[in-house]
Amino acid sequence: MRILALDYGSKTVGLAITDALGYTVLPYKTLWREREGKLRQTVRAICEVVEKESVGEVVLGLPLNMDGSRGERAEKATVFYALLKKNLSCPLIFFDERLSTVEAREILDENGVPREKQKEVLDQVAAQVILEDYLRSKSSL
């Protein structure tokens, strides 16, 4: 079963996906929006990926504050979660994504990706970090 992870941002959603066996995680793509509130097309595009790639589970990063509380970004992700859940044909899981973007930037820096090129893939790599953390958490249960 393939698992798709989403890194939800104000104007982008980064996607990462596992292989068919659910072991290897790869950056998939970044969905861009003109404005933060334009979510329907984004939801439709995610549903198309779920169908095209035979995804059995979707993981949405929950951007909690460092103290575990929910701030503005987490509330916006919650609105997105509700809209996505209504339209998905598979389970949707919220997963703590604290520091995923920081870790993604470190990965890109370590691999020599120039800062001006990082925006193109940063959200995909953050989604990859979220998915890898999610898989690790499942295997430790």
Side-chain angles (χ1 to χ4, degrees):
M1 168 184 77
R2 296 186 96 173
I3 303 172
L4 179 71
L6 310 173
D7 178 46
Y8 177 77
S10 60
K11 291 191 177 180
T12 61
V13 177
L15 283 69
I17 196 165
T18 65
D19 62 356
L21 297 175
Y23 295 123
T24 305
V25 178
L26 298 169
Y28 188 79
K29 72 188 319 183
T30 301
L31 302 173
W32 298 82
R33 294 187 308 284
E34 289 178 26
R35 292 193 323 264
E36 187 166 5
K38 292 194 143 225
L39 297 176
R40 284 194 180 108
Q41 287 180 330
T42 302
V43 168
R44 193 168 24 256
I46 292 167
C47 289
E48 289 171 5
V49 170
V50 166
E51 187 171 320
K52 174 185 170 195
E53 300 294 346
S54 301
V55 171
E57 185 174 63
V58 176
V59 177
L60 174 61
L62 176 60
L64 296 172
N65 293 324
M66 290 308 294
D67 65 0
S69 65
R70 288 181 178 225
E72 180 183 348
R73 296 292 336 139
E75 294 309 318
K76 290 182 180 194
T78 301
V79 170
F80 182 64
Y81 175 93
L83 183 60
L84 197 53
K85 188 159 184 70
K86 288 181 193 175
N87 291 278
L88 279 178
S89 58
C90 64
L92 176 63
I93 290 98
F94 244 158
F95 187 76
D96 183 355
E97 66 145 302
R98 280 179 272 191
L99 299 176
S100 63
T101 301
V102 172
E103 187 175 340
R105 190 169 301 281
E106 288 174 0
I107 290 168
L108 293 170
D109 284 342
E110 288 171 7
N111 285 288
V113 178
R115 284 284 171 132
E116 59 274 5
K117 298 277 188 187
Q118 288 186 10
K119 186 56 190 161
E120 298 171 22
V121 296
L122 181 63
D123 299 309
Q124 296 171 41
V125 177
Q128 179 181 359
V129 168
I130 292 166
L131 190 47
E132 288 170 346
D133 288 348
Y134 174 71
L135 292 173
R136 267 194 296 277
S137 77
K138 280 180 64 168
S139 69
S140 66
L141 296 177

